[in-house]
Amino acid sequence: MKFVANKLLYPGKSIDFPDAETASHHLSPQSYCFSFIKAVFIASNFVTLTKTAETEWNDVIPSVREFLKQYLEEGKAVSMKKKLLQ
């Protein structure tokens, strides 16, 4: 699922975390937010998330959207001190 932001997140670059192990080498070891997210791709002004098979997007989109909105409104870096993966 692609979540588009109204500002540049990673200008001229992209970063791909195909699994939690990859993310753990690049993202802060603080809390993981969502256990149903298994991959993250960040580029330009969007974040693409891949969920686990047993999760329905309709059930989780509101909480993911709220997390991303708050995260960006607080001016936090895209390196994300809170991880989306688990």
Side-chain angles (χ1 to χ4, degrees), residues 2-76:
K2 184 177 183 178
F3 296 87
V4 179
N6 60 1
K7 68 178 195 173
L8 290 176
L9 305 175
Y10 219 57
K13 301 177 189 175
S14 67
I15 190 162
D16 186 22
F17 304 109
D19 53 46
E21 183 178 341
T22 303
S24 69
H25 296 294
H26 299 281
L27 300 175
S28 160
Q30 293 179 353
S31 63
Y32 286 81
C33 300
F34 303 113
S35 60
F36 54 83
I37 298 298
K38 66 179 191 174
V40 176
F41 177 78
I42 302 168
S44 189
N45 69 330
F46 68 90
V47 176
T48 300
L49 305 176
T50 305
K51 64 172 185 58
T52 58
E54 60 274 359
T55 303
E56 294 295 326
W57 276 120
N58 290 336
D59 296 335
V60 299
I61 284 177
S63 57
V64 170
R65 191 174 283 147
E66 184 61 25
F67 167 79
L68 292 171
K69 180 180 178 251
Q70 286 181 357
Y71 192 92
L72 294 173
E73 285 177 352
E74 292 173 7
K76 294 182 179 176

